[in-house]
C-alpha cells in the first residue's frame, strides 16, 4: 500500500506536455502581466465554468480581497459570513476594512444558515459572504432572498465547488460574484491560482483594474488595486489541467461511493449529504462523527489514522471564531447555542483524490472499526 496518504494530492499534467508550453514562454519572454497563456486560460475558464466573465488571479485569497473591494462597501460596515471556513474568508473581510459578523451553519449542508443570517443583520450590514463548503452548495435561493430584501451584496466563496451546478446552472452565476481557488489542494489547480466569476461581462473592467494596481494607462491610476495577476507558468499548468478535471472528478465520485459503502453501518457516523439537483464538485469527503453514538471521538480516529501514516484533516477546526483575531466574536444562531460549535469537533475530511486505492479504504475502514470496538 502506498503511504503516506494525504487528504489531497494535486492533479498534475504529464511533464512532457508542459515542456512545449514552457518553451513558448521562454521564447516570447512574456512571463506575466496578462500574457498570451493567461488570456487563453481565461477564455478556457469561461467556457468550462459557463460564465461570461471569469478573471484569473494569482491565488484565491487575493481574488476574495478584490471581490469585496469591487462592491464598494462602506468602510467599517458589516459582512455576514460563516465561521466554518478557511481563515482566508474572514481575513478578506477584515483586510478590506470591513467587519466580519459570523452566523451559524445549517446542520445538513454545513453552509451558512439563512435563518441565522437574518438574525445577524444590523443597520450596518452591507454584504453576505457565503461559502459553498466541502462541495456542498449553499441555500442560494434563501440567501438571495435575504440579500434582495435587505439590499445587501451577495458574494460566494466558491473555492470548493469548481465546475459544480445547481439545476444545471453553473455555480459561478449565483450572487453578485463568486470566487474560486486553484490551489494545489483543489479539484482543479494551477499550482496556486484563483478566479472571480460574474454574470456580467461589464464587471471585467473593474476586476481587471483592481487586479492590476488600479492602473488605467501609463499615466493614470484610478483604483486602489493590488497585484492579483496570474503568471504564465500558472496559466500553462491551468490550461493543461483543465481537460483532466472531468476524469479526476468522476474517479472521486466513485471513491465517494466506495467510502459510503464501507462506512455506511457505523453508528454515529454521518456520511456526506447528497444535495438534490446538484452536480457535486467532489472537493472533500467529509464525515460528521458523533462520539456519543460512535463511542470514540473524531480526534481519536484522526490520531489512529495518523499513526498508520494516513493524514485526514479536521477542516475547519479550529473555526474562525476560535482564532485570535476573531476570538470574542459572537456567532448568530437560531439554536440555543451555535450548532457550528458542536459540529466543529465532529467533522473529518478523509483522503479524497484519485491516488486513494481500495487498500487505503480498507485500512481506513479497519481503523474506524478498531475505534468502535475500543469504545
Ligand atoms: N476559501 C476557502 C473556503 C478555502 O478553502 C481556501 C483555501 C481559500 C478561500 C483561499 O484560497 P487560496 O488563497 O489558498 O487559493 C490548504 C490550502 O493551502 C488552501 O488553499 C485551502 N483553502 C485549505 C483548505 O487547505 P492546508 O494548510 O491544509 O495545506 P497543506 O499544505 O497542509 O496541504 C494539505 C495536504 O495536501 C498536505 O498534507 C499534502 C497535500 N499537498 C499539499 C500541497 C500544498 C500536496 O500533496 N501537494 C502540495 O503541493 O491549506
Amino acid at each position: 500500500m502506498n503511504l503516506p496518504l494525504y487528504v489531497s494530492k494535486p492533479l498534475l499534467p504529464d511533464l512532457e506536455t508542459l515542456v512545449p508550453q514552457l518553451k513558448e514562454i521562454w521564447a516570447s519572454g512574456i512571463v506575466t502581466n496578462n500574457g498570451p497563456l493567461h488570456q487563453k486560460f481565461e477564455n478556457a475558464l469561461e467556457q468550462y465554468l459557463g460564465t461570461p466573465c471569469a478573471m484569473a488571479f494569482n491565488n484565491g485569497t487575493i481574488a476574495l480581497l478584490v471581490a469585496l473591494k469591487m462592491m464598494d462597501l462602506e468602510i467599517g460596515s458589516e459582512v455576514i459570513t460563516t465561521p466554518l471556513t478557511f481563515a482566508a474568508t474572514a481575513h478578506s473581510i477584515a483586510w478590506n476594512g470591513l467587519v466580519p459578523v459570523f452566523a451559524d451553519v445549517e446542520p445538513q449542508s454545513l453552509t451558512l444558515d439563512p435563518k441565522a443570517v437574518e438574525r445577524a443583520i444590523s443597520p450596518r450590514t452591507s454584504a453576505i459572504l457565503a461559502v459553498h463548503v466541502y462541495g456542498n452548495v449553499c441555500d442560494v435561493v434563501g440567501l438571495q432572498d435575504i440579500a434582495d430584501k435587505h439590499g445587501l451584496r451577495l458574494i460566494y466563496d466558491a473555492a470548493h465547488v469548481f465546475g459544480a451546478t445547481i439545476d444545471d446552472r453553473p455555480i459561478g452565476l449565483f450572487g453578485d460574484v463568486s470566487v474560486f481557488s486553484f490551489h494545489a489542494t483543489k479539484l482543479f489547480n494551477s499550482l496556486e491560482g484563483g478566479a472571480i466569476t460574474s454574470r456580467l461581462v461589464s464587471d471585467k473592467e473593474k476586476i481587471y483594474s483592481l487586479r492590476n494596481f488600479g492602473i488605467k494607462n501609463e499615466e493614470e491610476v484610478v483604483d486602489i488595486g493590488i497585484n492579483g495577476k496570474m503568471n504564465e507558468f500558472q496559466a500553462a499548468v491551468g490550461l493543461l489541467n483543465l481537460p483532466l478535471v472531468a476524469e479526476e472528478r468522476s474517479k472521486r465520485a466513485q471513491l465517494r461511493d466506495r467510502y459510503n459503502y464501507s462506512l455506511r453501518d457505523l453508528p454515529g457516523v454521518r456520511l456526506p449529504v447528497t444535495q438534490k439537483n446538484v452536480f457535486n464538485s467532489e472537493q472533500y469527503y467529509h464525515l460528521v462523527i458523533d462520539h456519543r453514538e460512535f463511542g470514540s471521538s473524531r480526534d481519536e480516529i484522526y490520531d489512529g489514522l495518523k499513526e498508520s501514516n494516513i493524514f485526514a484533516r479536521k477542516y475547519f477546526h479550529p473555526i474562525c471564531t476560535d482564532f485570535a483575531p476573531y476570538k470574542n466574536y459572537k456567532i448568530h444562531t437560531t439554536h440555543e447555542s451555535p450548532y457550528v460549535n458542536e459540529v466543529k469537533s465532529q467533522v473529518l475530511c478523509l483522503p479524497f483524490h484519485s491516488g486513494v486505492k481500495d487498500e487505503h479504504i480498507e485500512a481506513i475502514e479497519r481503523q474506524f472499526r478498531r475505534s468502535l470496538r475500543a469504545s
Side-chain angles (χ1 to χ4, degrees):
M1 177 166 54
N2 226 342
L3 291 172
L5 182 68
Y6 296 111
V7 69
S8 314
K9 182 175 174 221
L11 181 63
L12 291 174
D14 260 351
L15 199 50
E16 289 74 53
T17 61
L18 186 60
V19 175
Q21 302 271 12
L22 293 183
K23 283 187 175 158
E24 227 178 274
I25 299 171
W26 259 242
S28 73
I30 304 291
V31 298
T32 186
N33 284 8
N34 205 32
L37 292 177
H38 178 144
Q39 289 174 36
K40 209 168 149 188
F41 178 56
E42 272 184 350
N43 292 338
L45 261 185
E46 283 174 4
Q47 290 290 317
Y48 198 98
L49 292 175
T51 57
C53 164
M55 305 285 285
F57 277 78
N58 47 8
N59 62 61
T61 304
I62 300 286
L64 272 172
L65 290 184
V66 168
L68 283 161
K69 184 81 180 164
M70 69 186 277
M71 299 294 140
D72 259 333
L73 306 173
E74 195 182 323
I75 299 292
S77 67
E78 295 174 353
V79 179
I80 300 170
T81 194
T82 166
L84 189 70
T85 183
F86 193 55
T89 314
H91 289 348
S92 67
I93 299 171
W95 267 74
N96 267 288
L98 304 162
V99 179
V101 169
F102 297 98
D104 209 356
V105 299
E106 284 184 336
Q108 285 302 308
S109 68
L110 304 181
T111 60
L112 199 53
D113 181 351
K115 293 192 290 300
V117 170
E118 289 230 81
R119 290 267 170 106
I121 290 174
S122 83
R124 294 174 302 283
T125 308
S126 59
I128 301 168
L129 174 51
V131 182
H132 305 293
V133 76
Y134 307 122
N136 293 345
V137 301
C138 295
D139 176 352
V140 288
V141 175
L143 291 173
Q144 191 63 61
D145 282 352
I146 294 172
D148 291 344
K149 190 167 135 200
H150 296 272
L152 308 175
R153 307 307 295 265
L154 177 57
I155 300 142
Y156 283 107
D157 180 334
H160 296 183
V161 287
F162 188 83
T165 60
I166 304 176
D167 290 325
D168 292 326
R169 188 165 184 230
I171 197 77
L173 294 178
F174 292 91
D176 288 300
V177 292
S178 295
V179 177
F180 293 84
S181 163
F182 307 149
H183 183 262
T185 51
K186 299 295 181 285
L187 171 72
F188 165 73
N189 82 86
S190 54
L191 308 180
E192 291 264 7
I196 299 180
T197 62
S198 161
R199 279 174 285 120
L200 306 175
V201 180
S202 54
D203 278 340
K204 282 189 178 183
E205 198 180 331
K206 188 74 175 171
I207 300 171
Y208 191 99
S209 169
L210 288 171
R211 185 179 67 186
N212 188 37
F213 314 97
I215 293 174
K216 187 173 179 192
N217 54 44
E218 283 188 28
E219 312 227 327
E220 284 177 284
V221 172
V222 293
D223 285 309
I224 303 174
I226 202 165
N227 181 357
K229 290 171 279 102
M230 177 177 261
N231 67 49
E232 290 291 277
F233 198 154
Q234 290 174 293
V237 175
L239 278 166
L240 292 169
N241 264 346
L242 257 189
L244 310 180
V245 175
E247 192 186 339
E248 173 67 20
R249 188 210 158 271
S250 80
K251 283 183 181 162
R252 291 183 186 201
Q254 288 167 20
L255 181 57
R256 165 193 293 266
D257 290 344
R258 293 217 284 278
Y259 269 136
N260 281 348
Y261 185 77
S262 293
L263 307 174
R264 70 193 181 287
D265 62 347
L266 295 171
V269 175
R270 201 170 88 204
L271 305 177
V273 288
T274 302
Q275 294 182 295
K276 226 174 126 220
N277 301 332
V278 170
F279 183 75
N280 191 300
S281 61
E282 307 295 352
Q283 173 58 44
Y284 289 114
Y285 182 86
H286 68 288
L287 298 169
V288 178
I289 301 158
D290 185 340
H291 70 277
R292 290 162 299 200
E293 269 186 74
F294 186 67
S296 295
S297 68
R298 181 274 311 271
D299 289 358
E300 285 168 293
I301 297 166
Y302 169 89
D303 290 340
L305 289 170
K306 201 169 174 179
E307 275 168 32
S308 321
N309 249 333
I310 296 173
F311 297 90
R313 288 298 284 263
K314 304 175 192 178
Y315 295 134
F316 286 99
H317 180 231
I319 57 174
C320 293
T321 43
D322 295 325
F323 295 144
Y326 314 112
K327 192 80 186 166
N328 295 315
Y329 285 46
K330 176 179 176 167
I331 302 170
H332 297 263
T333 185
T334 54
H335 305 284
E336 220 165 88
S337 62
Y339 175 69
V340 69
N341 276 334
E342 182 180 324
V343 82
K344 70 182 182 184
S345 54
Q346 300 180 331
V347 187
L348 189 66
C349 291
L350 297 182
F352 198 50
H353 48 82
S354 54
V356 180
K357 305 296 175 208
D358 283 347
E359 57 265 33
H360 294 125
I361 299 173
E362 284 156 20
I364 290 167
E365 183 186 345
R366 274 199 301 279
Q367 182 57 48
F368 271 86
R369 297 201 185 277
R370 262 199 302 274
S371 299
L372 185 62
R373 275 199 303 276
S375 65

